[in-house]
Amino acid sequence: MELKERLAHLAKTGDVPVFAVVGSGHRSPVRRLRLSDGINLVASPRHAAVLLVAGTLTEAATETVSRVHDQMAGPRVTVGWNHPEPSIVPLAENVVGGVPDVTAAIRQQFANVLTGTIPGEPPLLPNVDPVEWRGVGPYGHGGAGMTGGNPYGRPLPLRAPARDTLELDQLPITIGPWFAGFPPGLALRVLLQGDVVQGLEVDSTRFVSDGPGGVFERALREPTLIRDLEMDRARHHLEWMADALLICGVDRLALRADRLASTIEAGDVQRVDRLIASVRRSLLRPMTMRGVGVLPPDVDLTGLGPVARAAGVAEDARAAEDGYDDLGFTPVTHTAGDAWARFSQRAQETTQAIDLAGRAGNRLAFGSGAVEAPDGLHRAEGSRPADRFVAMLEVVLNGEEWGDLVTTIQSFDIDMESVSAPKDVP
Amino acid sequence: MVGIGAALVVFVAAVLTVGAAQWVWSAPGERDLTVPERVPFAGGAEPEFHAWNRFHIRYYAMALLFLAFDMEMVFMYPWAVVFVREGLLALIEMLMFILILVVGMVYAWREKSFEWS
């Protein structure tokens, strides 16, 4: 056996580095994929060999997904997961099924491309410079500005207002829609100076299609078992906590939160309490979140669920339901209103949800056009909490440091599937 | 002659190392990257501006203070020798010197120089 073949066979036994583009209905399944043996979900396509296109995306996503595809180091392969035909990018395989099916397919395609059974995919976008880098001289040198032209076809950044008598630059850059620190589908155009955000605009393009809707969508139309609602809430919050811990770099605790989300049962409060105690002991989390993402006092918090309750607004649609009243439900609140308060709020609501689910029996709740979902109050008509969070990003995040911006956006728990049109919301 | 022999050995070793490095570099069959492959990852969006930009290094005030106190430490090494000879007088002089620096630091603190912004 040749050396190259031996190396390929050795490489295919390792974890497969996968970059996931997450479409509608697949945030939770992709999170569960993190628990699969042999799959390593990475935050950048530069580290990936397999591109996973999960769920439904809009036509507008085609260019961005193609760019992500081209940014993977070769040999690369693309796998679809419940992605509707015709697919927005060419797929080596489109898996219709659950987590075990897609895990097997990813591993198989990775082995195929490593051993040369199938060739690595060629780039999708044309090999054209936006503008040729050429100055006025005979060798492309010289001309106006520092570089004598537009390096790699791009102009140099804008000039910022003088600060401490220094004339510095502002770099306008669009981040997203597939940046791992943001909710899938959210793209922001930011004006950066170093890591300080000096301007911000939400990209109004829709990249992710409407979500299929879960148990909370059903509860808008018909009375639903409290047990189902609360278990779904607990799972949602645990998965959100795993994301928050991943952003913070505490992968070990994130894995525990993911495991808990997939195995938790009604009434099993102790396991959640142990996880939360570990997070508090880690200190890292409280240190990176305290005082971050505090909302201005004039922001209307009505109907914003855990974000509002973390800022001391004791408002919860569950309190008005007879089923919850029987169980002695009272809303949990915090006062600080920062990202750490939101983490603590969701942690406590998770414990509360599991406790309620354990005692709920066959009690029903909601069904009259409004429901308290994990991200806030959902109504059959009108804007969703995600719409309002997206609308307030520009006000809340201007002037923040980049790291705090990512933490704040994560702390809101924005679901881009339920955002109607990111820019045109009240 | 020993010198020439040693130089020859170093020369041959260098040529072999460069040759081996070039072979390792070219062995995987490197091809030129296309323009979209070269673009840095920003979540799927196309960068409009070049990332070469001048920004504010916000720790410069702290860096200046660090330099001031660093130089003071250097000054304390020869002072330690003088202290053995002069005793209390040298100690008082050094305390006065440090006090002047501390006044500077308190002023910087009051002016909010240590705030990360």
Side-chain angles (χ1 to χ4, degrees):
Chain A
M1 201 186 280
E2 257 188 80
L3 177 66
K4 204 173 161 188
E5 276 178 45
R6 281 183 195 215
L7 288 174
H9 279 278
L10 191 67
K12 77 178 186 186
T13 57
D15 282 357
V16 186
V18 179
F19 184 82
V21 169
V22 186
S24 73
H26 279 69
R27 269 186 100 178
S28 195
V30 169
R31 282 158 164 162
R32 285 203 296 279
L33 196 61
R34 292 197 288 237
L35 291 170
S36 285
D37 279 340
I39 300 287
N40 178 20
L41 280 182
V42 293
S44 160
R46 297 288 192 210
H47 305 154
V50 177
L51 177 67
L52 179 68
V53 184
T56 316
L57 299 163
T58 63
E59 275 293 312
T62 309
E63 195 190 326
T64 57
V65 176
S66 303
R67 189 165 294 112
V68 168
H69 172 274
D70 289 1
Q71 285 167 340
M72 288 199 298
R76 59 196 155 206
V77 64
T78 310
V79 174
W81 187 11
N82 301 324
H83 183 62
E85 295 292 343
S87 65
I88 60 165
V89 288
L91 303 172
E93 184 180 351
N94 192 6
V95 182
V96 179
V99 174
D101 306 309
V102 80
T103 304
I106 288 171
R107 289 204 61 84
Q108 185 57 50
Q109 293 297 341
F110 180 61
N112 289 348
V113 82
L114 277 183
T115 52
T117 314
I118 56 168
E121 292 168 358
L124 297 174
L125 295 175
N127 183 16
V128 184
D129 252 322
V131 184
E132 195 186 0
W133 181 3
R134 187 156 183 90
V136 293
Y139 304 105
H141 66 287
M146 272 200 294
T147 57
N150 291 332
Y152 299 109
R154 296 187 179 86
L156 288 167
L158 313 174
R159 184 63 58 86
R163 170 179 174 172
D164 294 357
T165 70
L166 294 171
E167 288 199 333
L168 301 161
D169 298 333
Q170 280 177 326
L171 177 66
I173 185 167
T174 305
I175 309 277
W178 316 118
F179 171 57
F182 287 174
L186 175 68
L188 293 183
R189 189 178 153 81
V190 286
L191 208 54
L192 286 176
Q193 189 177 98
D195 68 341
V196 179
V197 177
Q198 296 194 326
L200 182 117
E201 202 179 306
V202 178
D203 189 329
S204 59
T205 319
R206 269 203 97 190
F207 297 100
V208 180
S209 309
D210 279 334
V215 65
F216 291 99
E217 285 297 308
R218 202 173 72 225
L220 282 173
R221 300 182 304 273
E222 56 190 76
T224 308
L225 283 172
I226 290 180
R227 185 190 162 88
D228 291 350
L229 290 169
E230 292 309 307
M231 283 312 290
D232 218 56
R233 186 186 315 278
R235 276 188 217 105
H236 181 97
H237 284 337
L238 282 166
E239 284 174 348
W240 174 87
M241 275 188 241
D243 282 353
L245 293 164
L246 268 182
I247 284 180
C248 219
V250 209
D251 294 19
R252 189 177 49 82
L253 288 173
L255 193 67
R256 265 179 69 186
D258 268 332
R259 282 216 184 95
L260 207 53
S262 64
T263 58
I264 193 76
E265 283 171 17
D268 196 359
V269 176
Q270 285 83 8
R271 287 173 69 202
V272 181
D273 282 344
R274 278 201 295 274
L275 171 73
I276 293 162
S278 299
V279 174
R280 284 180 196 281
R281 269 200 306 275
S282 78
L283 281 180
L284 182 73
R285 198 66 194 157
M287 277 170 70
T288 50
M289 299 188 87
R290 268 207 184 116
V292 172
V294 180
L295 297 173
D298 56 336
V299 169
D300 175 23
L301 293 170
T302 324
L304 291 183
V307 172
R309 292 192 284 277
V313 181
E315 186 199 68
D316 195 318
R318 289 176 286 178
E321 293 286 320
D322 291 341
Y324 281 98
D325 202 34
D326 288 351
L327 297 166
F329 171 82
T330 46
V332 180
T333 55
H334 285 72
T335 50
D338 58 5
W340 175 242
R342 282 168 213 146
F343 190 93
S344 306
Q345 176 72 30
R346 289 199 178 91
Q348 227 166 323
E349 288 195 14
T350 308
T351 319
Q352 188 187 39
I354 288 166
D355 172 52
L356 287 170
R359 296 187 288 115
N362 292 324
R363 288 186 181 83
L364 298 165
F366 300 114
S368 51
V371 62
E372 187 71 28
D375 62 341
L377 185 68
H378 284 210
R379 290 183 189 283
E381 301 290 327
S383 64
R384 294 285 161 93
D387 284 317
R388 291 174 55 200
F389 287 134
V390 168
M392 68 170 73
L393 289 182
E394 290 172 26
V395 182
V396 178
L397 300 174
N398 219 339
E400 292 287 335
E401 287 170 27
W402 176 253
D404 290 351
L405 173 139
V406 174
T407 307
T408 306
I409 291 179
Q410 206 279 331
S411 76
F412 286 152
D413 188 13
I414 302 170
D415 179 9
M416 293 305 286
E417 288 171 38
S418 67
V419 173
S420 39
K423 205 62 207 297
D424 317 318
V425 285
Chain B
M1 277 308 281
V2 176
I4 292 173
L8 204 63
V9 169
V10 170
F11 178 74
V12 171
V15 168
L16 286 178
T17 311
V18 170
Q22 279 210 326
W23 180 78
V24 168
W25 181 253
S26 60
E30 183 75 18
R31 64 179 176 81
D32 284 343
L33 295 177
T34 63
V35 171
E37 284 173 317
R38 281 202 306 260
V39 169
F41 173 64
E46 166 90 30
E48 294 164 54
F49 290 83
H50 199 268
W52 186 0
N53 69 121
R54 296 160 297 176
F55 56 86
H56 197 284
I57 301 178
R58 287 179 292 155
Y59 57 78
Y60 82 95
M62 276 171 249
L64 285 176
L65 275 165
F66 169 76
L67 271 183
F69 281 87
D70 202 37
M71 292 318 292
E72 173 214 324
M73 290 308 294
V74 171
F75 178 47
M76 282 174 94
Y77 284 110
W79 168 81
V81 178
V82 177
F83 172 70
V84 173
R85 206 175 56 226
E86 299 288 333
L88 187 65
L89 186 67
L91 181 69
I92 291 170
E93 285 190 350
M94 180 48 83
L95 285 177
M96 282 170 65
F97 173 65
I98 291 176
L99 187 72
I100 292 167
L101 284 180
V102 168
V103 169
M105 197 168 79
V106 169
Y107 174 74
W109 201 323
R110 201 197 69 163
E111 292 293 306
K112 299 189 166 71
S113 287
F114 299 117
E115 288 192 7
W116 191 255
S117 60

